[in-house]
Amino acid sequence: MIDEAAREKALKRAGYNIFGLNSDEVYIDLLTDSGTGAMSQDQWSGMMVGDESYAGARSFHRLSDTVQDIFGFKHFVPTHQGRAAENILCAVILKEGQYVPSNMHFDTTEGNIRARGGRPVNLVCKEAYQTSSDIPFKGNMDLEKLENFIQEVGPENIPLGMITITNNAGGGQPVSLENLRAVSKIYKSYKIPFFIDACRYAENAYFIKTREPGYENKSTLEIAREIFAQADGATMSAKKDAIVNIGGFLAVNDPVLFEKIKNECILREGFITYGGLAGRDLDAIAIGLREGLQEPYLAYRLGQTSYLVSGLKEIGIPVIEPAGGHAVYINAGELLPQIPQEEFPGQALSVEMYREGAIRTVELGSVAFGFPDPDTGEMIYPTLDLVRLALPRRTYTQSHLDYVIQVLGKIYENRENLSGYRIVKAPVLLRHFSAIFEPI
Ligand SMILES: Cc1ncc(COP(=O)(O)O)c(C=O)c1O
């Protein structure tokens, strides 16, 4: 762990954007759970038998069998990560000015929709914004809002509908099977293809098993199959619940759409049996997809986030409850009420966590989701200013989490003295990755 003066210097150099820090300047890295997990011995040994043939490799067929078994879609292409699957999907299905509803889109999904001139729309249930509650499925879609929205803009202007499981942008909260079924029914009734953003499908399946009546005796595999049986396709970042460092895929049932996907995949990612990955990566994904569904592993994983939530609550830090699957979300807007949204309370907290304890987190609030209204140009800010503490899979131990709680305890004591940031320079899309800030 580098000392305080070195951390301050690193912050200045990075423009107070923690994405600009180097990993050797960070002590506990909770920036993301994406691609940062520890692969198992089986995954590593699977990589040794990777088949690097350009077309039709055995590695592809091993992955194909696994995708077929868990997800059940008729066709799929591997992609180098989740956003590549989103890019291909948007390229083949979306036209300028069209809408894509979801419970909540993640930033890359939003970015890919906007990059094609589309309009992402978030219709999550209102309980998602009640930060402290024990409501079990706060990732659910608001069904009434969805139905009204479709009627308002017309189904002909909605080329696809989505749902994100778990809802990363809204606290890593799960979606129930009851809700997934109802969403599927609505989309079907308007002939709108239904795609699931499936990154954290295994965590969502375990939440269903432990929280939704009627599923306690079903395996996570059976639940996963039931989830995907509701949909026409899925985008997947394997860097999450397949516990690999790189990879993803796009799966669909519609053969006509798949023809277009194949062409786009070849153009942007690579031939359809490797999609921008090495054969060995495909093997690691195939093995990881199954490991990610193991119930003792999921009990440990969701146990970690709930341990961190309890510890933070005890010292007065406002967190989203119940704990999410992959991350703990601090309500920075509530912790730092003296900092208005346009001065980015989440950014202030994430910078302070690095300054105080060399902990790297990510702002998911007015920096990540603030966007100028396409009609008026006026800045629209999200309802909540959150800081996400994402836990890499199979990486940190309880004592690491105790350290995080200790650092946040110190910040809590000093919270009234913290102030905000202003943006000096930022791109229009996905600005939180590369914006440069200065303290106010
Ligand atoms: C819900 C969700 N969708 C899509 C993505 C994009 O995946 P990738 O980072 O592999 O491009 C992420 C990544 O964090 C995510 O959390």
Side-chain angles (χ1 to χ4, degrees):
M1 178 167 162
I2 61 171
D3 67 23
E4 222 177 306
R7 297 204 292 275
E8 200 56 51
K9 209 168 138 195
L11 273 176
K12 273 210 184 89
R13 190 207 65 231
Y16 297 92
N17 185 335
I18 38 175
F19 279 98
L21 296 170
N22 296 318
S23 65
D24 58 3
E25 294 165 333
V26 175
Y27 185 45
I28 305 280
D29 206 343
L30 308 182
L31 181 67
T32 178
D33 64 321
S34 180
T36 54
M39 291 214 303
S40 68
Q41 59 187 15
D42 286 353
Q43 285 177 295
W44 280 108
S45 56
M47 290 184 84
M48 295 295 134
V49 294
D51 175 357
E52 303 303 338
S53 305
Y54 191 94
R58 285 178 289 256
S59 299
F60 170 76
H61 289 293
R62 286 191 280 268
L63 176 60
S64 176
D65 291 347
T66 310
V67 170
Q68 184 51 241
D69 187 39
I70 299 173
F71 296 81
F73 295 115
K74 294 195 179 94
H75 314 282
F76 91 105
V77 285
T79 58
H80 78 274
Q81 57 184 99
R83 71 198 67 185
E86 293 163 0
N87 178 27
I88 294 174
L89 182 62
C90 290
V92 299
I93 208 168
L94 187 66
K95 292 198 186 74
E96 215 172 311
Q98 291 186 320
Y99 297 88
V100 185
S102 184
N103 51 350
M104 278 175 105
H105 293 283
F106 191 63
D107 59 6
T108 59
T109 327
E110 266 198 26
N112 270 301
I113 294 167
R114 288 194 201 283
R116 304 266 166 196
R119 296 186 179 200
V121 180
N122 294 334
L123 302 172
V124 73
C125 64
K126 61 182 184 316
E127 289 81 5
Y129 301 106
Q130 292 168 15
T131 49
S132 305
S133 69
D134 55 3
I135 296 159
F137 291 104
K138 288 174 26 176
N140 280 357
M141 183 89 82
D142 185 321
L143 300 172
E144 204 181 312
K145 269 196 214 159
L146 177 63
E147 186 99 44
N148 291 343
F149 178 77
I150 296 171
Q151 285 177 10
E152 189 191 315
V153 304
E156 66 282 6
N157 294 313
I158 306 177
L160 79 157
M162 295 190 75
I163 202 161
T164 312
I165 60 170
T166 57
N167 181 17
N168 185 5
Q173 300 293 316
V175 179
S176 70
L177 248 165
E178 186 187 14
N179 191 256
L180 281 159
R181 252 194 232 101
V183 167
S184 169
K185 206 167 148 197
I186 293 175
Y187 283 141
K188 260 200 193 85
S189 70
Y190 291 98
K191 298 195 166 50
I192 298 169
F194 174 26
F195 278 77
I196 296 179
D197 178 339
C199 298
R200 299 181 180 84
Y201 77 101
E203 290 169 9
N204 202 98
Y206 195 69
F207 276 125
I208 288 172
K209 183 181 170 79
T210 50
R211 292 183 185 174
E212 190 163 350
Y215 289 94
E216 46 286 277
N217 296 323
K218 295 215 169 184
S219 70
T220 44
L221 175 61
E222 288 168 322
I223 294 170
R225 286 176 181 152
E226 211 168 317
I227 290 173
F228 295 108
Q230 312 307 317
D232 301 298
T235 56
M236 173 76 188
S237 169
K239 300 170 75 173
K240 281 78 171 181
D241 277 358
I243 328 180
V244 290
N245 304 122
I246 197 73
F249 60 80
L250 170 59
V252 288
N253 281 331
D254 179 355
V256 178
L257 192 59
F258 188 60
E259 282 307 309
K260 295 182 190 161
I261 288 171
K262 284 199 303 198
N263 293 338
E264 197 65 22
C265 181
I266 293 168
L267 180 67
R268 307 208 176 270
E269 291 289 288
F271 188 63
I272 52 168
T273 60
Y274 73 86
L277 295 167
R280 55 183 173 271
D281 296 325
L282 306 180
D283 273 299
I285 297 171
I287 295 163
L289 281 170
R290 293 200 188 281
E291 288 183 358
L293 278 171
Q294 284 170 3
E295 291 168 24
Y297 154 73
L298 285 164
Y300 138 80
R301 171 126 183 98
L302 304 189
Q304 278 205 319
T305 48
S306 84
Y307 177 82
L308 192 48
V309 157
S310 315
L312 292 178
K313 253 179 77 180
E314 234 165 70
I315 58 166
I317 300 281
V319 282
I320 292 202
E321 287 179 84
H326 66 297
V328 170
Y329 294 69
I330 298 177
N331 186 347
E334 191 182 329
L335 179 70
L336 306 172
Q338 73 275 23
I339 304 178
Q341 282 201 293
E342 59 275 17
E343 294 178 12
F344 312 123
Q347 190 63 22
L349 178 61
S350 67
V351 168
E352 202 55 26
M353 285 183 71
Y354 178 70
R355 184 178 277 134
E356 183 63 46
I359 300 167
R360 179 154 63 172
T361 57
V362 70
E363 192 266 8
L364 289 180
S366 297
V367 179
F369 297 113
F371 196 80
D373 185 305
D375 297 323
T376 66
E378 194 189 325
M379 263 330 259
I380 302 171
Y381 290 110
T383 313
L384 296 174
D385 273 279
L386 304 175
V387 169
R388 186 187 71 179
L389 283 57
L391 299 183
R393 291 166 181 78
R394 305 190 289 212
T395 302
Y396 289 117
T397 67
Q398 187 167 323
S399 57
H400 294 110
L401 303 185
D402 288 336
Y403 170 78
V404 172
I405 295 166
Q406 198 183 319
V407 168
L408 275 156
K410 285 195 195 148
I411 293 174
Y412 185 81
E413 297 303 314
N414 187 40
R415 67 193 183 283
E416 283 161 12
N417 299 320
L418 302 185
S419 49
Y421 286 79
R422 75 169 68 85
I423 290 180
V424 180
K425 205 172 103 190
V428 180
L429 289 178
L430 299 174
R431 64 180 183 170
H432 66 297
F433 287 107
S434 53
I436 301 291
F437 299 87
E438 65 185 12
I440 293 174

